[in-house]
Amino acid sequence: MPVNTFVLLIALTHNKICIFLFIETASCILMNLTYRHILFFIPAWLGLCSAGAQNLVANASFEDVNICTEYKAPCTPSAWESVAPEALKLDYMYHHYKEGAGNNLLRLIHVSQNPLRNYAQTRLLCPLEKGRRYRVTLLGWQDGDVPPELDLCFDTTWLFRESAVILADVVPTLRLGPGNLVKTAGKKKVFTLQQEFVAAGHYGYVAFGTMRNATAAPQVIYNYIDSIAIEPVNGDGRLCAAAARTKDSLYNQHNRHSIPRRAFVEQESQRRRLEARYLRCITLEVKDHRIFTAAGRAEHPATAVRLDSIIKAYNPGTGMKVRITGHAFREGTFNYNKVVAETNARKIMETLIYMKGFSFEDFTVDSKGNNQPRYDTTTAEGREQNNFVELEFCMPLPEEETVSAPPPSRPDTLVVPDVLFRFNSSELNTALLKELDALVQQIPKDGVQLQLVGHTDDRGEAEYNAELSKRRALAVADYLKLKGKGGSIRHVSGEGENRPVASNNTSAGRQRNRRVEIIIYKGAE
């Protein structure tokens, strides 16, 4: 085999940069080398070409779309979750800036008139290794074409909340901003931010957004995140053995508007059901079970009086339910604080049962550990205040007949045929724009999300067909923007020849397969 042919075969197995680098260098040094020399250099070249490809983030540029179970709509990118999915979903949007890594982005609230915030989170394909150095690279921008300011938090589990507010209780691991700027590209000013860090633990999850208490603004300012990479510095390009299984698990999760049980204790669901069923709830905050002692009553007399009145009104026949939630903020791990908080909560429950006549069935006990501090954690006084137990005494409403919500409607699909494009091109046929306008008029004005998917027949190279199908979908997206529909577009992609609707063995079938689908999801916002 000629040396040039051998070099080309090796180079074609890698990315474009490595192809060029390998061939150019090889043409200079390999002319007089034996195949033994060539085989000696191949491992080094493979390592060089794979370096930088060890991104621990799945779906890092948000191109793969998740169709949620609840609305059957493209509500989030695959592998990504909202921190507060029941309160505020991720803003998943389409963009057409060529400087980005793809055509989809996440829009996160940076500042607003209120504490409302949304955050994105995912599980890493491989956990960070404690003591190892990593590099975070982020592409994006902020309103006003300035670099985004973003906080990242690495953790050992998912970070879910019921309320979409500032995560003031979370200490960010990293804070990226203008000081981390390494590159600016294009008229849109797509900024590349980068920072290196040493992992402080074996963290397997990352969440990002604005976690700092930013000053309220008269209008909402957004961060637009196009892609994110988390890679080991001096990595060998290989992911861990579990990476493929982790990605499959993330992609197979389709519930995007509820807190998954795998990450949030079942007691949270019980509490939500409790609050929905009970009309009148009285909440008390006590230090611990010593509220039932003389010393505890003297320290908190007002709380003791309220507790006495509730105990006197207790009647097992009324169906009163009591939820006791322990909180702790002591030196130590989360698990340690969780045990301490639960112990304090159970001591109060046992006092109410064995000394005050309550029934065991009346109680639900939960422990938050140090996960949801209520007071300032930067001072000794505030940390001590975060050691408390919350009691909720609730009276039930009469049972009412419930009416189940109707299932989400099936999406509608409009088909843009290939005759509306120039032959073998993504350019729209201007002579037939009236036909395209007729399709656009069928899209409802409000309350919809749009997904655009391009398709081709199987003639030609599969890679070219995939590229052509996406370019055609992008052309339709640009036209929809001109017609005022851009704000409804959530995802744009090309499937190439992978999803035919007719046989490719006939001319009529191939023509049907060459199409762009506009999928309309109603009521998913």
Side-chain angles (χ1 to χ4, degrees), residues 172-241:
T173 309
L174 299 175
R175 285 187 162 171
L176 300 181
N180 305 109
L181 181 63
V182 297
K183 182 181 177 182
T184 303
K187 294 181 179 179
K188 177 57 188 173
K189 295 185 179 178
V190 176
F191 298 96
T192 300
L193 306 181
Q194 200 169 83
Q195 183 172 340
E196 293 188 3
F197 68 98
V198 176
H202 300 286
Y203 301 125
Y205 299 80
V206 63
F208 64 82
T210 302
M211 299 173 188
R212 64 197 83 180
N213 272 309
T215 304
Q219 61 183 12
V220 180
I221 297 176
Y222 292 101
N223 283 323
Y224 301 87
I225 310 305
D226 177 77
S227 67
I228 180 171
I230 301 172
E231 303 165 301
V233 177
N234 301 321
D236 59 6
R238 293 176 294 181
L239 293 170
C240 60

Side-chain angles (χ1 to χ4, degrees), residues 46-172:
L46 294 180
L48 175 61
C49 291
S50 60
Q54 199 176 352
N55 193 354
L56 303 182
V57 179
N59 197 15
S61 60
F62 318 120
E63 293 304 290
D64 296 336
V65 64
N66 173 80
I67 305 299
C68 70
T69 301
E70 297 90 343
Y71 294 103
K72 306 296 183 185
C75 54
T76 62
S78 295
W80 290 89
E81 304 261 7
S82 168
V83 166
E86 296 176 354
L88 188 63
K89 69 170 190 172
L90 293 176
D91 274 345
Y92 186 38
M93 305 177 69
Y94 151 82
H95 75 83
H96 63 283
Y97 305 118
K98 63 181 180 180
E99 297 82 13
N103 293 106
N104 296 282
L105 57 80
L106 290 179
R107 185 177 73 171
L108 304 177
I109 299 173
H110 178 55
V111 294
S112 66
Q113 305 94 326
N114 52 54
L116 189 69
R117 297 290 184 276
N118 57 344
Y119 300 89
Q121 62 177 334
T122 189
R123 180 182 177 185
L124 300 177
L125 294 174
C126 306
L128 303 183
E129 299 174 28
K130 184 177 181 179
R132 190 172 185 180
R133 193 167 190 84
Y134 293 85
R135 180 185 299 112
V136 174
T137 305
L138 182 141
L139 269 68
W141 60 93
Q142 196 180 99
D143 282 329
D145 285 345
V146 298
E149 295 179 302
L150 207 69
D151 302 323
L152 286 84
C153 176
F154 293 95
D155 209 331
T156 56
T157 188
W158 295 98
L159 181 66
F160 281 108
R161 294 288 190 271
E162 290 189 291
S163 301
V165 296
I166 298 173
L167 295 179
D169 59 311
V170 175
V171 179

Side-chain angles (χ1 to χ4, degrees), residues 269-281 317-322 361-362 364 393-402:
S269 297
Q270 294 177 359
R271 184 175 72 82
R272 289 191 296 275
R273 290 194 295 270
L274 187 73
E275 290 177 345
R277 279 188 57 206
Y278 288 83
L279 173 66
R280 196 164 58 91
C281 293
T318 62
M320 178 186 287
K321 297 296 180 182
V322 185
E361 289 76 16
D362 296 336
T364 301
F393 298 89
C394 298
M395 297 295 293
L397 283 168
E399 292 288 342
E400 295 182 359
E401 183 179 354
T402 59

